[in-house]
Amino acid sequence: MNNSFPRINEEVTAILNKSKEEPAFEGTVLEGKERRYTIINERDVEKYLSMGEQQDLAIVLDRMLGNIEHGREKDGKKQFNSYVVINTDEPWIDEIIEVMKRNGAWD
């Protein structure tokens, strides 16, 4: 038995074993779906983060997004994608979902 590789702590194990279903989706039209995107409302960043936190976030995001852009380019993809974001609590969300289903973009 090889015991030479480092031990993985319980937190890392929990992350690796985490269900792909997003608990924040419970009780919404997205319940049971896997999270594929992370959206950060820039107004929330300005309102709820200190100036130092905003600067830290900008530095980290700039570095990470640069890496993603470079990786996408290497894969022959466009560096950037643009998205339309719709809150799931909008009264017309079911209509949007139906359009997406008809076009094969829901599942």
Side-chain angles (χ1 to χ4, degrees), residues 9 12 22 25 27 39-41 43-44 56 69 74 82-83 88 91 98 104-105:
N9 70 34
V12 173
E22 176 58 57
F25 294 166
I39 308 297
I40 300 173
N41 183 322
R43 290 181 187 148
D44 286 346
D56 291 345
E69 292 161 17
K74 279 180 50 179
S82 296
Y83 299 93
T88 58
E98 286 306 313

Side-chain angles (χ1 to χ4, degrees), residues 24-43:
F25 294 166
E26 289 178 21
T28 74
V29 295
L30 298 174
E31 188 163 356
K33 298 265 187 211
E34 179 181 342
R35 180 170 42 100
R36 294 180 53 205
Y37 304 95
T38 299
I39 308 297
I40 300 173
N41 183 322
E42 293 183 19
R43 290 181 187 148

Side-chain angles (χ1 to χ4, degrees), residues 63-82:
R63 180 173 42 90
M64 290 182 176
L65 293 174
N67 292 343
I68 290 169
E69 292 161 17
H70 178 72
R72 289 181 60 84
E73 187 175 47
K74 279 180 50 179
D75 288 345
K77 298 177 181 179
K78 293 187 314 182
Q79 288 181 320
F80 308 99
N81 277 335
S82 296

